[in-house]
Amino acid sequence: LFFLQESMHAYAANVYTTVVEELMKGKQRKFIAVEQEFFRLWWDVVATDTQKQQVHQLLQEGRLEFVIGGQVMHDEAVTLIDDQILQLTEGHGFLYETFGFRPQFSWHVDPFGASATTPTLFALSGFNAHLISRIDYDLKADMQKNKKLQFVWQGSPSLSEREEIFTHVMDQYSYCTPSHLPFSNRSGFYWNGFATFPDPPKDGVYPNMSLPVTDSNLHQYAQTMVANIKERAAWFRTSDVLWPWGCDKQFFNASVQYPNMDLLLDYINEHSGEFGVTVQYATVGDYFQAVYNRNLTWEIRNSQDFLPYSTEPFQAWTGFYTSRSTLKGIARRASSLLYAGESFFTQYVRKHPEGSICKCKALKQLQSLRWAVSEVQHHDGITGTESPKVKDMYMNNLMYGVFNVKKLMASIIFDMNNAKKNGEIYSSVYPKDSGISDVDQYVVVYNPLAWNITTFVTISVSNLAMSVYDELGHPVPAQVQSSAESPSTYDLYILVTISGLSYRKYTVKPVDGNQPAFIGRSIKYKRRDITRAGRQGRQLFPVVNSCYQILFDQNTNLMHSITQRETNQTVELTQEFLEYHVNGDTMKGPISDNYLFGTNASAVPVSKAVGLEVVSGALMTEIRQYFYSNVTSQDYIYAVYTRIYTVPEGYDGKLLCHRIEQEYSVGPLELNREAVLRTRTNLNTRQLLYTDNNGYQMQKRPFKAYVNNTVARNYYPMVQTAYIEDDTTRLMLLAERAHGVSSQGNGQVEVMLHRRLWNNLEWNLNNNLTLNDSSVVRPVIWLILGTKAVTNILYRNSGLALEHRPVVLFGALSGGKPKLPGHLQQNSVHDSPVTVPPNLHLQTLSIPGWRYSSNHAEQVRSIHMGKQKQDDADFSRVLLRIRHLYEVGEDPVLSKPVMVDLKSLLNGLGSVTAVEERSLTGTWDVNTLKRWKWNTAQYPSKGFFNSTKTSEDFIVTVHPKEIRTFFVYFQSK
């Protein structure tokens, strides 16, 4: 479940060193390995040449098998599909480059609940079967009883049988060997005992080592094992039983494991007549091959996921949807910066082959962030279920990678502008997140999306009187106002319009007489006691833009209603903060911790008084609400900053106008409090909620009543999107980090924003898992209100616009006023934008740098010859992914397939000479990928999936929900 960094290194090194040694001692022995981050650390730092040769041999013999093969076993509830693809691609690239090996099976045994995105992800990666374990205890018991733990899962409603995958759910014993032995008080079948790292015992005697197998206990061991095998066999349809041998932190001393296992297996096989069982070492692939060969017909599961996950009536694992919100936010910002950095660097390499930046160093800078974003997707990473020490490791690695990529982007801009020699001298481009001082400075803004965007970027300035100019010296609409954060600075909002994958440069300077930025004027309202506000004499005041009219109630300073102006439909809507008070004492009942959310009472309103300030200007109105525990409190405990935008004539402000942007300030909380923002409306939603799986597809969440723990078991993860609706109107929430979300009443949606907990569960104390998180968190949520038709058109693009906000870099001008040339200074990154239609998303544009050959026979041959490692990184291969954002039938226009001419799409990067269509992680040519087709009642014949799609003329048709992956090669300059 969790790892401490130094113990991880010592432990993982021991596993691989001893397992490889033991596998070489017996041809019958086998082993599976999952997470590449740990394996690569061993491979790069510890493994000897002999051990490396042995690994190659074991892989060829099929006795060592890599399953999943990503950097980590990623969480399924709170991760974004982009980051899942990244971490899989990272691990697969290493395995293919180093061994020519391509994983074909999954082993997703430990994530807390299972998403319906995962079967699609693994099918697209070329997997033949998928394996999960942690699903609701009551559902698992039912499936077990009815032999329904295996099925063909069609995770995506739009891709259905094309990307289905056979799925195996582990039984109640999950992924560990049973620990109880009737004849011994020690742990069962774990002869190496419990891992104690980084300080292993000097005498090699670890805690709780199982009794060694001897003549006197061999029969008892065999009886115990056979009894368990037979118990499990009754729950499955075939006579093949998967018996996992191991658990968390096992096999660190394989030299005591394997000899005992050998004795036991040999004994059972010698007495198979008596026991009725034969046993053999196997990999996951061996097991699935055996089941596939039985040629049975399997039931189909549709696109329903297995979330949330409960282990018993009072243990709902729904707390981790929000735990360590700061880490969740930084992981997503880092992912978004990496996305921008990849396309920025790719364009630089293609358009400036003579540029002065060292490509190998640049690739290392990108790799540091790829590695950090990949590792934090671990099911004890972004979930917030690690100790503070491990959380700090993730944070440090993310911050280091972010710094590297910002530095790279700044040096690319510097290099390209200096290469122009056009009368402007740049003294620096610096990647710090700093504001603007009094000298003339410029702001470079890069749009990482392949659509034209119109949005605001915010920078902090020290002066109210500012002007902003574009590259031609024309004034740019902007608004400046006092900052809510610190009274001595100001926020400058600049309206930017930038085409796809392009950047623009803006000069910001103190006003020189003409065209100053608009100024936002502030009005402060009296703090209101909301407990006393009667209904009589309600005074409402409006805040308006061209899409919405928001009414606030002056008696309470709370939001009252929102009118959607195009349809003139009004929805009563009010928001308040509440806290669940939870128990931390195991003697007093169920607890909340990093994983679990457990409450035995309703949430309690936190504030009795609300203060209000409205800052309004020509481009934007910001409503600042401050929530106090009572009318006389000095400090507020919560704040909401709500912004709506007015877009001037001549700008495409559709997305900008339709979003109500909210930023929250929450914390520090008191201990054992879980903070939620509850939004109540008069929509008749029948308590039905919709939330997304991993930013990829939506799930329907009807409210379910349980005997126990109903509140917590109706919490779901919101990775990017959640909404409630009635017959005509939908209220959409879009997030920039994951949260727990629930509908605890008709017309309501509540988002858990922060948690601070302490508990005395011994396991949690031993592992420092008490979540005493005293931070202040600042999440952002965008609201969109409208008809279903309108929100359908807006929400996919808006969600991505929030995820991939423009990257802002600062620079200083030296040598006085810049002499602006008369013609538009062609920034070479924006003379040829890359744009796709609004229902497609350019999922990836990067230079991976892999050295492998995309011809499989050639790749295997070069590994065999020991050639592959000498070459430099390959900068000529560009990785391109395109994703269709819509489901079949979701929208009359946007759900249609789209034809894309790759040659003209990438024209700005050079002349495309070749395109190869690949599997999702790049390691298979789709024309040679043949996945197992399992029998279902719908499709009775077993066989293989063939996917031949690539056309010769660079034109591809992308169908709803497809993610298509290509290697693209250009004519060299």
Side-chain angles (χ1 to χ4, degrees):
L1 281 170
F2 62 95
F3 273 109
L4 281 168
Q5 190 177 10
E6 62 272 36
S7 72
M8 195 293 295
H9 288 169
Y11 158 74
N14 273 35
V15 170
Y16 288 113
T17 300
T18 64
V19 163
V20 168
E21 185 186 341
E22 287 304 310
L23 289 177
M24 295 308 292
K25 290 179 184 170
K27 281 282 183 214
Q28 76 287 8
R29 296 174 174 179
K30 298 194 175 188
F31 192 76
I32 62 163
V34 178
E35 299 182 299
Q36 290 310 302
E37 173 155 331
F38 302 152
F39 177 78
R40 289 170 79 168
L41 287 169
W42 176 78
W43 182 261
D44 292 339
V45 178
V46 180
T48 62
D49 286 348
T50 305
Q51 287 167 330
K52 289 184 174 182
Q53 270 320 112
Q54 291 170 338
V55 169
H56 278 281
Q57 184 189 331
L58 291 166
L59 282 167
Q60 271 164 355
E61 292 172 4
R63 299 201 293 117
L64 173 63
E65 180 173 77
F66 289 113
V67 287
I68 307 178
Q71 283 293 89
V72 295
M73 186 189 296
H74 66 256
D75 166 70
E76 300 195 33
V78 298
T79 47
L80 206 54
I81 188 169
D82 313 53
D83 300 330
Q84 298 176 353
I85 294 170
L86 170 76
Q87 76 86 20
L88 266 184
T89 304
E90 271 292 284
H92 286 188
F94 163 76
L95 284 175
Y96 195 55
E97 186 171 86
T98 313
F99 306 111
F101 184 88
R102 302 179 284 200
Q104 290 185 276
F105 303 97
S106 106
W107 181 257
H108 248 224
V109 295
D110 212 15
F112 322 131
S115 159
T117 306
T118 317
T120 305
L121 183 79
F122 287 158
L124 289 168
S125 303
F127 288 15
N128 289 320
H130 174 38
L131 185 148
I132 61 177
S133 182
R134 292 180 179 269
I135 65 169
D136 260 339
Y137 70 99
D138 40 7
L139 177 61
K140 181 179 278 198
D142 188 60
M143 291 167 76
Q144 199 168 268
K145 196 174 74 205
N146 297 305
K147 295 194 181 191
K148 289 185 187 292
L149 289 168
Q150 295 171 316
F151 46 84
V152 170
W153 196 354
Q154 297 182 350
S156 159
S158 295
L159 301 174
S160 64
E161 78 281 353
R162 281 185 299 146
E163 301 301 342
E164 70 190 14
I165 196 165
F166 180 80
T167 304
H168 171 102
V169 184
M170 293 192 127
D171 58 49
Q172 68 189 41
Y173 290 101
S174 192
Y175 61 91
C176 293
T177 324
S179 53
H180 174 66
L181 293 176
F183 56 91
S184 159
N185 58 1
R186 299 199 209 166
S187 198
F189 305 102
Y190 299 130
W191 293 280
N192 54 200
F194 286 151
T196 50
F197 290 98
D199 305 307
K202 298 278 177 284
D203 57 4
V205 179
Y206 287 82
N208 212 1
M209 294 171 84
S210 292
L211 295 169
V213 175
T214 59
D215 288 350
S216 62
N217 64 19
L218 184 50
H219 191 74
Q220 290 171 294
Y221 262 120
Q223 279 181 313
T224 308
M225 182 169 172
V226 167
N228 184 264
I229 289 170
K230 287 182 168 172
E231 183 187 5
R232 291 177 166 193
W235 300 328
F236 292 94
R237 290 180 56 204
T238 79
S239 53
D240 316 288
V241 178
L242 174 72
W243 207 75
W245 209 319
C247 194
D248 293 350
K249 291 194 165 182
Q250 280 297 318
F251 282 93
F252 57 88
N253 189 351
S255 57
V256 295
Q257 270 305 103
Y258 276 106
N260 282 290
M261 291 158 72
D262 284 351
L263 290 170
L264 189 45
L265 298 191
D266 290 347
Y267 181 82
I268 293 173
N269 286 335
E270 282 158 21
H271 299 84
S272 60
E274 172 193 340
F275 288 126
V277 165
T278 59
V279 285
Q280 68 180 68
Y281 285 109
T283 61
V284 186
D286 294 337
Y287 170 71
F288 280 125
Q289 182 75 62
V291 176
Y292 183 66
N293 290 345
R294 300 278 178 191
N295 209 4
L296 298 185
T297 297
W298 300 97
E299 282 189 11
I300 290 174
R301 179 181 178 87
N302 65 6
S303 54
Q304 190 58 46
D305 64 6
F306 292 96
L307 289 163
Y309 160 61
S310 288
T311 36
E312 49 186 76
F314 286 101
Q315 292 189 344
W317 295 50
T318 57
F320 80 92
Y321 302 160
T322 305
S323 296
R324 298 205 192 287
S325 179
T326 303
L327 175 64
K328 285 174 163 62
I330 286 175
R332 286 273 282 272
R333 296 309 307 135
S335 159
S336 173
L337 180 72
L338 176 62
Y339 175 75
E342 295 280 14
S343 65
F344 204 61
F345 175 64
T346 302
Q347 294 184 81
Y348 175 75
V349 170
R350 290 295 329 135
K351 297 174 181 180
H352 294 268
E354 304 304 307
S356 67
I357 289 172
C358 165
K359 293 197 295 243
C360 291
K361 184 188 168 196
L363 190 60
K364 285 206 163 60
Q365 290 173 306
L366 286 167
Q367 281 167 338
S368 70
L369 191 51
R370 289 176 193 169
W371 186 283
V373 173
S374 293
E375 78 176 0
V376 79
Q377 307 310 318
H378 188 280
H379 57 275
D380 283 304
I382 196 167
T383 50
T385 54
E386 65 284 274
S387 70
K389 204 167 169 180
V390 177
K391 180 258 300 176
D392 292 342
M393 173 196 83
Y394 285 125
M395 286 286 224
N396 291 339
N397 292 350
L398 287 165
M399 300 317 282
Y400 173 70
V402 161
F403 176 74
N404 279 333
V405 171
K406 284 197 165 166
K407 210 159 66 175
L408 171 62
M409 293 181 77
S411 53
I412 287 175
I413 291 166
F414 191 59
D415 187 62
M416 290 202 296
N417 282 300
N418 276 354
K420 290 272 175 285
K421 299 282 183 285
N422 52 11
E424 288 186 54
I425 305 154
Y426 299 95
S427 60
S428 66
V429 180
Y430 46 91
K432 295 193 288 294
D433 284 311
S434 61
I436 294 281
S437 60
D438 290 329
V439 302
D440 288 3
Q441 286 191 299
Y442 66 92
V443 182
V444 176
V445 184
Y446 177 62
N447 166 25
L449 290 165
W451 305 311
N452 301 340
I453 58 158
T454 300
T455 190
F456 282 93
V457 296
T458 317
I459 57 175
S460 100
V461 293
S462 53
N463 193 327
L464 252 189
M466 300 301 273
S467 300
V468 182
Y469 300 95
D470 65 14
E471 296 97 331
L472 288 173
H474 295 148
V476 173
Q479 179 170 319
V480 66
Q481 58 199 42
S482 66
S483 166
E485 283 305 277
S486 66
S488 59
T489 61
Y490 300 93
D491 293 331
L492 175 65
Y493 289 81
I494 305 170
L495 182 66
V496 298
T497 297
I498 311 177
S499 43
L501 302 200
S502 304
Y503 74 83
R504 301 213 34 196
K505 208 161 68 231
Y506 300 92
T507 307
V508 178
K509 45 183 154 182
V511 165
D512 49 7
N514 57 351
Q515 301 293 339
F518 297 111
I519 291 180
R521 305 288 178 197
S522 161
I523 302 170
K524 288 193 170 73
Y525 292 83
K526 206 175 113 193
R527 197 186 294 186
R528 296 293 185 180
D529 180 339
I530 55 178
T531 58
R532 304 244 299 279
R535 285 199 158 272
Q536 75 290 356
R538 171 170 280 171
Q539 280 188 293
L540 303 173
F541 72 88
V543 177
V544 186
N545 72 359
S546 46
C547 294
Y548 300 111
Q549 170 178 281
I550 306 177
L551 291 180
F552 284 83
D553 184 338
Q554 273 180 296
N555 291 341
T556 61
N557 286 340
L558 294 173
M559 200 182 281
H560 169 270
S561 61
I562 302 178
T563 302
Q564 220 263 331
R565 294 184 63 191
E566 288 148 283
T567 57
N568 210 17
Q569 245 175 336
T570 299
V571 174
E572 286 174 29
L573 189 149
T574 183
Q575 294 181 309
E576 63 175 336
F577 288 104
L578 302 99
E579 285 173 352
Y580 288 100
H581 293 204
V582 295
N583 169 45
D585 184 351
T586 53
M587 302 310 289
K588 292 185 179 161
I591 59 159
S592 264
D593 66 8
N594 298 51
Y595 309 89
L596 309 176
F597 168 42
T599 174
N600 52 6
S602 302
V604 182
V606 289
S607 79
K608 295 195 167 62
V610 181
L612 181 71
E613 180 184 1
V614 177
V615 183
S616 49
L619 300 178
M620 181 191 86
T621 304
E622 182 176 59
I623 301 103
R624 301 171 180 171
Q625 291 165 292
Y626 300 99
F627 293 76
Y628 299 87
S629 49
N630 59 53
V631 177
T632 55
S633 309
Q634 279 289 269
D635 298 318
Y636 61 87
I637 33 180
Y638 291 87
V640 185
Y641 308 101
T642 304
R643 304 181 192 105
I644 62 169
Y645 298 99
T646 302
V647 187
E649 285 291 303
Y651 287 86
D652 172 17
K654 191 171 75 170
L655 288 187
L656 196 50
C657 168
H658 277 96
R659 72 179 179 239
I660 299 168
E661 191 174 295
Q662 291 197 317
E663 184 178 347
Y664 313 101
S665 172
V666 181
L669 302 178
E670 289 174 47
L671 263 182
N672 288 328
R673 299 284 189 269
E674 318 221 10
V676 301
L677 174 79
R678 185 175 286 168
T679 301
R680 287 200 308 259
T681 70
N682 62 343
L683 298 174
N684 179 19
T685 62
R686 302 177 188 81
Q687 232 174 315
L688 181 59
L689 173 70
Y690 294 81
T691 68
D692 66 329
N693 275 164
N694 315 108
Y696 178 67
Q697 64 191 47
M698 299 304 296
Q699 291 278 351
K700 198 174 184 169
R701 311 293 194 188
F703 190 86
K704 296 175 183 160
Y706 296 95
V707 179
N708 301 306
N709 221 14
T710 293
V711 170
R713 287 189 81 173
N714 279 284
Y715 255 80
Y716 295 93
M718 162 195 191
V719 179
Q720 206 170 41
T721 314
Y723 64 84
I724 54 172
E725 63 184 16
D726 65 9
D727 297 336
T728 57
T729 306
R730 181 182 287 169
L731 172 67
M732 202 107 207
L733 283 66
L734 301 171
E736 40 72 76
R737 71 187 71 177
H739 302 280
V741 61
S742 186
S743 177
Q744 296 284 339
N746 189 24
Q748 288 182 16
V749 57
E750 66 181 54
V751 180
M752 191 180 286
L753 298 173
H754 201 11
R755 324 174 71 214
R756 184 180 183 185
L757 308 168
W758 188 88
N759 69 80
N760 58 7
L761 186 67
E762 197 178 339
W763 194 86
N764 283 339
L765 290 176
N766 291 344
N767 297 301
N768 201 357
L769 287 172
T770 52
L771 203 66
N772 188 355
D773 180 349
S774 57
S775 63
V776 176
V777 298
R778 315 268 332 214
V780 171
I781 287 181
W782 289 358
L783 307 178
I784 300 176
L785 182 73
T787 61
K788 293 180 192 182
V790 166
T791 54
N792 248 350
I793 291 168
L794 296 170
Y795 85 96
R796 306 266 183 197
N797 301 93
S798 297
L800 284 158
L802 172 56
E803 189 64 38
H804 298 298
R805 286 165 286 185
V807 176
V808 178
L809 298 164
F810 299 96
L813 295 167
S814 59
K817 296 264 186 294
K819 294 186 282 293
L820 284 155
H823 61 91
L824 175 58
Q825 175 206 328
Q826 287 285 328
N827 271 337
S828 69
V829 165
H830 80 218
D831 48 19
S832 45
V834 176
T835 44
V836 295
N839 51 353
L840 296 187
H841 170 45
L842 191 74
Q843 175 97 31
T844 309
L845 182 67
S846 73
I847 293 180
W850 300 311
R851 293 171 288 235
Y852 63 68
S853 163
S854 55
N855 176 314
H856 184 63
E858 207 171 285
Q859 172 64 4
V860 172
R861 196 162 50 245
S862 77
I863 287 171
H864 206 60
M865 315 269 291
K867 274 193 197 144
Q868 84 291 356
K869 269 306 192 202
Q870 285 71 16
D871 316 334
D872 282 336
D874 175 4
F875 291 95
S876 65
R877 175 186 319 176
V878 170
L879 175 67
L880 168 75
R881 287 193 191 96
I882 297 174
R883 160 154 65 117
H884 197 302
L885 293 172
Y886 283 80
E887 298 283 0
V888 168
E890 189 179 354
D891 182 271
V893 177
L894 297 170
S895 290
K896 291 188 166 138
V898 186
M899 280 174 77
V900 182
D901 181 338
L902 299 179
K903 212 175 164 79
S904 74
L905 173 69
L906 300 174
N907 190 28
L909 276 69
S911 173
V912 174
T913 56
V915 172
E916 301 167 1
E917 181 156 9
R918 307 292 290 185
S919 61
L920 183 65
T921 59
T923 53
W924 292 88
D925 173 344
V926 293
N927 299 307
T928 60
L929 174 60
K930 292 190 171 23
R931 290 198 310 119
W932 296 352
K933 176 98 185 67
W934 298 69
N935 296 339
T936 58
Q938 235 174 313
Y939 302 94
S941 68
K942 191 178 93 172
F944 296 101
F945 284 101
N946 281 353
S947 47
T948 40
K949 305 186 249 204
T950 329
S951 63
E952 287 307 294
D953 52 1
F954 306 116
I955 293 177
V956 292
T957 301
V958 187
H959 292 269
K961 287 325 260 190
E962 281 187 340
I963 303 173
R964 303 283 288 278
T965 304
F966 306 94
F967 289 166
V968 183
Y969 303 90
F970 294 86
Q971 203 171 330
S972 56
K973 290 191 180 176

